[in-house]
Amino acid sequence: MNTNCAKHAFGKSAQDKIFGANAAAVAAIAKYGKDNVVNATIGAILDEDEQLVCLPVVEKVYRSLPTTELIAYAPISGLPDFLEAVLVAAFGESRPNAYLGAVATAGGSGGIHHAIWNYLDEGEAALCSDWYWGAYSVLCKDMHRGFTTYKMLDENNKFNLADLKEKVFALLEKQDNLLYLLNTPAHNPTGYSLTEEDMDGMLAILKEAAKIPGKHITLFLDVAYIDYAGEKEEVRKIFKKLEGLPANLLTIVGYSMSKGFTMYGQRTGAMIGVSSDPEVIQEFKDINQYTSRATWSNINRPAMKTLATIYNDPELLAQVIKERDFYYQMIKARADLFCKEAAECGLPMLPYVAGFFLSIPAKNPDAICELLHEDNIFAVPLAAGVRVAVCAVPLKKIAGMAAKINAAMKKVEG
């Protein structure tokens, strides 16, 4: 074939299964009508009428901003009031007693991009669980980094510390930098959350790894779904565990406005560095601001100003927390019904705690999802199973869904 691209770009192509599954659902809705189709592909909150949700207070604040705040450039590192307020938004009452630094990013994905680029050398591999959001591996591949997984759950469906430890030390035998991508609480795609004991065990492994001379350990804690993971302060207690870590063990907390503020397309977030060493945090701010300048330059000013406005006004913040809780409870009711019916019909599931998604392990997820199309049910096939977006399916359509998935699974896999 004729080509005009650089060697490193040749052959690149992204066939995103999530957007592909959604496109198939949209086509079915056009043919059969919305009431007759279950679209469990969308990673966004839809209400019981299947309308995209925007938190009312967020919309009110955003639309009330003066024109200059809507159109002006923002500083590359982010608006100063946003960088202060995002620490409150992320940590709540569990702000770690450590050196902190924040850099504004283009959504949660932007922070992941910067972490891969700045904390792994070319040819080194990031570490992630075997159930993961597909964009992690795409980002690694595009930047000539590898992508290695450990088995997330053991035979008892508990967090697999043993396999994590084995993969951490195996990687460090081959490379000097370790970047561990950990999505918790309310993990995408399973809805799993690490317990406090899991966090303690995970950090013990990383601290042991940090004792190896010449090694640099980075924990990227992706908390994109934290505002729909449970009681606001309870789910944030994990951040206190980031105190007193070795200087060569940096934590980066990836915070996103997409879910917590229902501002998906505004592409606004922050990466927050947590370290026992002030020099590490100054370096963190310097290098990631530099990479921002080299990629998107600066990000969405009005979205940053919206967060800062809300978190600096106790009355607005109280309203936002109330609105979030309403939708958290709505999603929880959907997930509770699905889990109940899955148990009743014998459909296997990974342990679900909270969040937008739940997952069913399967040997042939593509064939199962294809067969479900005959019932006008659309879910996302992953490498090891089927993802169901309970955030997007109204309660009335959840009823009976587990049994239909189980029937399709038995027909495909026997």
Side-chain angles (χ1 to χ4, degrees):
M1 61 174 286
N2 292 327
T3 178
N4 205 46
C5 66
K7 290 180 181 178
H8 74 86
F10 182 76
K12 285 182 182 178
S13 176
Q15 302 297 325
D16 190 289
K17 288 191 174 183
I18 298 171
F19 288 101
N22 181 54
V26 170
I29 290 169
K31 185 175 182 179
Y32 301 109
K34 183 178 73 171
D35 292 342
N36 300 309
V37 176
V38 177
N39 186 354
T41 70
I42 303 170
I45 303 173
L46 301 188
D47 64 20
E48 290 300 292
D49 294 321
E50 297 181 80
Q51 297 299 309
L52 185 64
V53 166
C54 180
L55 298 180
V57 172
V58 171
E59 182 176 4
K60 176 184 174 182
V61 171
Y62 184 87
R63 291 184 182 276
S64 68
L65 292 173
T67 300
T68 52
E69 290 292 353
L70 294 173
I71 66 173
Y73 284 125
I76 293 169
S77 60
L79 293 173
D81 55 354
F82 168 79
L83 297 176
E84 281 297 320
V86 79
L87 298 179
V88 181
F91 297 135
E93 296 174 0
S94 295
R95 182 169 176 155
N97 182 18
Y99 294 98
L100 305 173
V103 176
T105 60
S109 302
I112 299 162
H113 171 274
H114 283 19
I116 294 167
W117 181 250
N118 286 324
Y119 294 94
L120 287 176
D121 286 323
E122 186 170 341
E124 292 184 328
L127 180 63
C128 188
S129 64
D130 57 346
W131 289 87
Y132 62 88
W133 180 46
Y136 286 156
S137 61
V138 174
L139 285 160
C140 287
K141 184 177 180 180
D142 193 52
M143 289 179 273
H144 295 188
R145 272 66 172 169
F147 186 77
T148 298
T149 62
Y150 65 96
K151 191 171 178 59
M152 186 174 86
L153 300 172
D154 62 19
E155 62 276 7
N156 298 312
N157 271 343
K158 302 296 184 183
F159 188 65
N160 199 332
L161 289 168
D163 201 46
L164 171 63
K165 183 173 183 177
E166 180 181 327
K167 296 301 192 300
V168 164
F169 285 91
L171 273 177
L172 288 174
E173 287 181 1
K174 300 181 288 186
Q175 59 191 56
D176 290 332
N177 301 301
L178 176 77
L179 174 63
Y180 173 29
L181 302 171
L182 175 61
N183 178 207
T184 193
H187 173 263
N188 174 8
T190 67
Y192 185 77
S193 295
L194 269 67
T195 65
E196 290 199 39
E197 292 74 20
D198 294 334
M199 287 290 295
D200 290 337
M202 177 274 296
L203 287 170
I205 292 168
L206 298 189
K207 285 190 278 189
E208 185 179 346
K211 293 178 181 178
I212 305 173
K215 303 299 183 181
H216 308 105
I217 314 298
T218 303
L219 166 64
F220 189 97
L221 197 55
D222 183 349
V223 299
Y225 297 89
I226 195 166
D227 287 316
Y228 299 94
E231 197 282 320
K232 175 178 177 288
E233 297 302 337
E234 188 67 26
V235 298
R236 284 169 164 79
K237 287 181 178 179
I238 59 172
F239 296 125
K240 295 297 287 183
K241 297 181 182 295
L242 305 179
E243 299 175 350
L245 298 177
N248 64 331
L249 202 177
L250 168 68
T251 301
I252 301 173
V253 176
Y255 182 83
S256 171
M257 288 185 69
S258 295
K259 283 76 182 178
F261 284 78
T262 59
M263 299 183 81
Y264 311 99
Q266 298 300 302
R267 309 311 305 136
T268 305
M271 57 192 308
I272 304 168
V274 183
S275 176
S276 60
D277 188 334
E279 293 182 355
V280 170
I281 290 301
Q282 187 58 53
E283 177 188 66
F284 167 85
K285 292 190 290 187
D286 290 343
I287 64 175
N288 288 299
Q289 179 186 20
Y290 186 96
T291 301
S292 293
R293 186 65 173 118
T295 49
W296 53 70
S297 188
N298 49 22
I299 67 159
N300 188 316
R301 184 185 186 104
M304 286 192 284
K305 183 57 71 173
T306 297
L307 183 147
T309 301
I310 290 171
Y311 272 83
N312 282 296
D313 186 318
E315 186 176 329
L316 290 175
L317 180 56
Q319 291 178 56
V320 164
I321 291 170
K322 184 178 180 180
E323 290 168 3
R324 282 177 181 154
D325 184 65
F326 173 84
Y327 289 109
Y328 163 70
Q329 297 296 341
M330 183 185 75
I331 296 169
K332 182 178 184 299
R334 297 169 180 178
D336 286 348
L337 179 59
F338 188 99
C339 292
K340 174 180 175 291
E341 292 191 351
E344 289 171 351
C345 72
L347 176 68
M349 280 183 58
L350 294 189
Y352 174 88
V353 176
F356 282 26
F357 311 104
L358 51 81
S359 287
I360 298 114
K363 296 175 184 176
N364 198 337
D366 288 283
I368 292 168
C369 287
E370 190 68 31
L371 187 58
L372 285 170
H373 292 181
E374 295 181 8
D375 281 325
N376 281 327
I377 295 174
F378 295 82
V380 176
L382 305 174
V386 176
R387 189 190 84 170
V388 174
V390 288
C391 59
V393 182
L395 193 64
K396 62 186 178 184
K397 290 186 178 181
I398 291 287
M401 190 176 173
K404 290 178 180 177
I405 294 174
N406 195 41
M409 193 170 177
K410 287 180 177 179
K411 191 169 183 180
V412 169
E413 299 185 350

